[in-house]
Amino acid sequence: MVVEADFYRVRLRFKRLFADPAIFEDQKNAVRRFLSYPSPSNDQVAIYQITDNIAPIDNVGKSPDVAGTARYVHRGRVVRSEYLENVKVTLEYADFGSGLSPYDHQRLWNRQRWGRMDFNIEEFHHERLKIEIPDIPELYEMLRARADPTTLVDVELPDLLDNFFRSAVGYLETRLKQLAEREHQTIDVYVARDLLPEEKQALEKRLTRPSTQSTIYILLSKTAGSAAL
């Protein structure tokens, strides 16, 4: 099956960036919170954030020192918070059918305000993607039928740039986990390029075929808790 997604990269410059929990707590969902998009339903994956570690940098690309502390209003309370000055934050994410158009995304970022902090947009990049992946319900049914009590398969995704590849893996993993959770089963996904050599060799031996940079391994377990490799 072919899924369509919109890939976005935004680079923001903050004159003063506080340690606001809206950005720095649960960083993997910071973009979804900014766009005011709720968690995906059981049937749909929407905003998938590729950037999982939000790391501000200065003009030369280095991690900046704390510039000072000041009062900051958070959730109606005045607190003292450390802040950075003149820093940039880059975020990458993909939209798998949230209902927001590219114009909507740009309009929301053009508000140029996150919580009580103003920012300037240095880059707003949009790219439309078409990614070929296995049919997810069919893949899940195959896994479920083979599990006794576990089963392992390998899936070859298209040869993509790393950020596009990560978004495709995230989409596939989230959809499979949504299906598994309905039946109290467990899905674990392993990316071949991220495994240690001995881990990858063990999986290749188990499935009797070599992996590539685009291989992912999917393990379904009918037992409670996460399964181990």
Side-chain angles (χ1 to χ4, degrees), residues 1-5 96 129-133 157-158 160 164 167-168:
M1 63 180 288
V2 175
V3 296
E4 295 188 357
F96 289 91
L129 303 177
K130 290 185 178 181
I131 305 173
E132 187 172 351
I133 63 173
L157 293 179
L160 300 167
F164 298 163
S167 66

Side-chain angles (χ1 to χ4, degrees), residues 17-19 63-70 81-85 87:
L17 177 62
F18 286 89
S63 180
D65 295 327
V66 172
T69 60
S81 172
E82 294 181 340
Y83 64 86
L84 308 174
E85 286 188 336
V87 294

Side-chain angles (χ1 to χ4, degrees), residues 151-155 157 165-166 169 172-173 177 186-196 199-200 203 206 211-221 225-229:
T151 190
L152 176 73
V153 300
D154 57 350
V155 172
L157 293 179
F165 177 81
R166 300 288 174 184
V169 173
L172 184 62
E173 180 178 10
K177 285 185 174 180
T186 301
I187 289 284
D188 293 281
V189 175
Y190 305 94
V191 179
R193 66 177 71 174
D194 295 340
L195 296 174
L196 296 173
E199 293 174 331
K200 186 163 62 174
L203 291 175
R206 182 170 171 180
S211 64
T212 72
Q213 285 292 94
S214 299
T215 301
I216 64 172
Y217 295 99
I218 303 171
L219 181 69
L220 183 143
S221 174
S226 296
L229 281 174

